[in-house]
Amino acid sequence: MALIHLLPLLASLQFLPWPVSPADPHPAPTFSIDPRKDEYLLGDTVALTCSADPLPVPIREFHFYSDKGLAVTARVSSRWKQTYNLNITGPRDAGEYSCAYYTGRPGHFTKSRHSDGITIKVKDPPAEPMLSVNPPSREANEGHPLVITCTASGHAAERRFHFYQHGAEIEAGSETHITEPDTPPWNVAVLSIPRADTNSSGEYSCGYEEKDSGRWIPSTRSQAVMVTLKGPPAEPMLSVNPPSREANEGHPLVITCTASGHAAERRFHFYQHGAEIEAGSETHITAPDTPPWNVAVLSIPRADTNSSGEYSCGYEEKDSGRWIPSTRSQAVMVTLKEPLPPSVLRVNPSSGAVDEGLPLNFTCMAPKVPSEQRFHFYKNGTKIDTSASEPELTIPQAGLDMAGEFTCGYEEKVNGRWVASPRSQAVTVTVKGVTSLPIPLVAGAAAGVLALVLLLLLLCLCVRKRKGSRWSINRTEKDGSISSYSPIPLASMNPDTF
């Protein structure tokens, strides 16, 4: 059979006038189809045969018509009939078909009547499947799984699925995996991409074939879905307190991890030398438990040699039920600063022994630094309440209670924090009290003093007698009469009588 041309026409085309002779039209041909079925499947091929009764004139052309507006003109391959093979490729091939023939020569054709119509029914193709993407946002996280699922409705004896990217079929390989059903109901197939990358973005669709009467019948393809590639969560920022990144031994070290933006939920991680730090007795991690989930803190109460090193942090964001890790922060090097040199305590008197009631002076000696300093003094380990800015402590009168062990220390202001030095070596202070004399010795001394006073009085009396007058002394005589001594003026006395 030689097909000359295929013309898409409206149904009315079959009634377009042809240049024919005024003679009556020829009788209608016989129209047949092989094989005859109630319903045809996609991929079927049917033979449409148009047969005319013998005529006195030759048949020039056979025409095949469809109510969809299709016309096929064919040169005759035999004298009285022509067969046209119709491939069923889709629902558009369904409809009513008929045929006619022409005799004569160009400009003087005579058309036959139309044959009886034959209706061709085409079975609808399998229903369009549904394509879904995980994550549902259709934003694939770089380096994380991308899962595309093709779901067919209804039931079938058997199905096989196909996935397409940018219209080209995807074949399972090292970077992709296609899981097809191997048992009924044959409804779902999955395309898995373990680690999404730039090649994973694009337009995806899917389709399937159903096995019907021994043949695979393709479905229409699903609606296309656009998948974009989403980068990892933004890199966080790591900060250290003290800002100098020099941890003072025995003092707190605080490392803070800050994430930008907002997320449904985050969880943070800290790393030292690349290994994750777990919260424990020496460390404490405070992570957010309420929105905006932006900041987490690693606290080391007392820094030591194990605290120095390279620190970094990262976090995970919850996206579509999955934890997506961020890139790690830039690493920060933390060093351990040597402790301050110990102070030296000087005491005056240098022996540390002082008599009760005498002054006692302490001096706390520390290296001179441009930053602020404050000093502290301790007795038997207990801090003495003094002015903290002065390196000297003076006790004007030492009491017996001042005996004991004295130490001192100082603090320097470093990066806004007071850092304490080790305490000085202890200095022992003793206080010597005033000694009391024994009672007999005191009594003897008092008697001596009294005798000395009496002696002085007698001497004074004697001197006065010699210089001034004689005293008469009254006394009682043996007979009971009183004799008296009266002073006699010295002038009337004869010196020769003495």
Side-chain angles (χ1 to χ4, degrees):
M1 177 186 71
L3 296 180
I4 304 304
H5 55 271
L6 177 65
L7 302 175
L9 302 172
L10 298 173
S12 60
L13 272 177
Q14 54 187 307
F15 303 113
L16 286 177
W18 286 77
V20 297
S21 63
D24 290 336
H26 297 301
T30 300
F31 192 47
S32 62
I33 185 170
D34 184 44
R36 180 177 289 275
K37 296 181 181 180
D38 293 335
E39 194 172 46
Y40 293 90
L41 302 175
L42 297 182
D44 280 345
T45 300
V46 296
L48 301 175
T49 301
C50 192
S51 303
D53 292 334
L55 295 174
V57 292
I59 295 174
R60 297 292 184 182
E61 292 180 352
F62 284 91
H63 285 216
F64 295 86
Y65 302 93
S66 166
D67 59 4
K68 294 291 192 304
L70 301 176
V72 175
T73 300
R75 296 292 183 184
V76 294
S77 56
S78 67
R79 189 172 182 179
W80 309 115
K81 68 178 180 179
Q82 181 66 45
T83 298
Y84 169 59
N85 291 321
L86 174 66
N87 294 318
I88 307 297
T89 58
R92 67 186 299 273
D93 293 324
E96 186 175 83
Y97 288 79
S98 63
C99 72
Y101 60 89
Y102 290 86
T103 61
R105 62 183 184 276
H108 298 85
F109 281 118
T110 299
K111 180 183 177 183
S112 73
R113 292 186 175 87
H114 278 259
S115 69
D116 293 334
I118 294 177
T119 299
I120 295 179
K121 294 182 179 180
V122 177
K123 186 176 181 179
D124 288 335
E128 175 185 301
M130 182 181 69
L131 190 75
S132 61
V133 177
N134 190 11
S137 63
R138 301 178 183 177
E139 290 181 318
N141 298 102
E142 187 172 1
H144 287 264
L146 170 63
V147 178
I148 298 174
T149 302
C150 190
T151 305
S153 60
H155 298 276
E158 196 174 348
R159 287 189 178 109
R160 58 189 185 190
F161 287 78
H162 306 273
F163 291 88
Y164 306 88
Q165 184 183 20
H166 303 301
E169 185 170 358
I170 300 170
E171 300 292 340
S174 58
E175 297 300 320
T176 60
H177 181 67
I178 297 176
T179 304
E180 293 193 51
D182 54 6
T183 57
W186 319 98
N187 279 4
V188 178
V190 175
L191 168 66
S192 300
I193 301 173
R195 296 177 61 85
D197 57 21
T198 52
N199 296 323
S200 305
S201 61
E203 188 179 78
Y204 288 84
S205 61
C206 74
Y208 62 94
E209 297 172 283
E210 284 187 357
K211 204 167 191 178
D212 191 344
S213 302
R215 289 210 315 271
W216 289 102
I217 310 301
S219 72
T220 54
R221 290 190 187 177
S222 69
Q223 290 188 351
V225 170
M226 179 60 71
V227 174
T228 58
L229 186 67
K230 184 180 180 181
E235 174 186 302
M237 183 181 69
L238 191 75
S239 60
V240 177
N241 191 13
S244 64
R245 301 176 183 177
E246 289 183 320
N248 297 103
E249 187 171 358
H251 288 262
L253 170 63
V254 178
I255 298 175
T256 302
C257 190
T258 305
S260 60
H262 298 276
E265 195 173 348
R266 287 189 177 110
R267 56 190 186 191
F268 286 79
H269 306 275
F270 291 88
Y271 306 88
Q272 184 183 21
H273 305 301
E276 185 170 358
I277 300 170
E278 300 293 340
S281 59
E282 297 301 321
T283 59
H284 181 67
I285 296 175
T286 304
D289 53 7
T290 57
W293 320 98
N294 279 5
V295 178
V297 176
L298 168 66
S299 300
I300 302 174
R302 296 178 61 84
D304 57 20
T305 53
N306 295 323
S307 305
S308 62
E310 188 178 77
Y311 287 85
S312 61
C313 74
Y315 62 93
E316 296 173 282
E317 283 187 359
K318 203 167 191 178
D319 187 353
S320 303
R322 295 187 301 177
W323 288 103
I324 309 301
S326 71
T327 54
R328 290 191 189 176
S329 69
Q330 289 189 351
V332 170
M333 180 61 71
V334 174
T335 58
L336 188 67
K337 188 176 182 181
E338 292 295 328
L340 298 176
S343 56
V344 176
L345 183 63
R346 294 282 185 262
V347 63
N348 187 16
S350 59
S351 64
V354 62
D355 291 328
E356 182 181 9
L358 294 182
L360 181 62
N361 181 263
F362 297 95
T363 303
C364 194
M365 304 177 68
K368 296 286 186 181
V369 293
S371 61
E372 292 182 65
Q373 286 181 323
R374 57 190 186 187
F375 296 83
H376 306 282
F377 294 87
Y378 305 85
K379 177 192 172 189
N380 297 330
T382 302
K383 186 177 177 182
I384 301 173
D385 188 15
T386 63
S387 173
S389 60
E390 297 299 327
E392 292 191 1
L393 170 64
T394 300
I395 300 170
Q397 292 184 332
L400 295 176
D401 59 343
M402 293 307 298
E405 281 193 346
F406 286 81
T407 57
C408 76
Y410 65 97
E411 293 178 288
E412 284 186 9
K413 202 167 190 178
V414 180
N415 298 315
R417 294 193 305 173
W418 288 102
V419 179
S421 73
R423 293 187 190 177
S424 67
Q425 289 188 348
V427 172
T428 301
V429 172
T430 59
V431 179
K432 183 179 180 182
V434 176
T435 306
S436 298
L437 295 175
I439 292 177
L441 183 60
V442 172
V449 171
L450 180 59
L452 182 61
V453 170
L454 292 175
L455 179 61
L456 291 174
L457 288 174
L458 288 173
L459 289 174
C460 290
L461 181 59
C462 291
V463 171
R464 288 189 64 184
K465 280 184 176 183
R466 287 181 180 274
K467 288 184 178 180
S469 63
R470 293 176 180 263
W471 291 84
S472 63
I473 301 173
N474 295 325
R475 64 180 180 180
T476 303
E477 297 293 336
K478 293 181 180 180
D479 56 359
S481 61
I482 298 174
S483 64
S484 61
Y485 294 88
S486 298
I488 301 172
L490 295 176
S492 61
M493 294 180 64
N494 184 359
D496 295 333
T497 60
F498 291 92

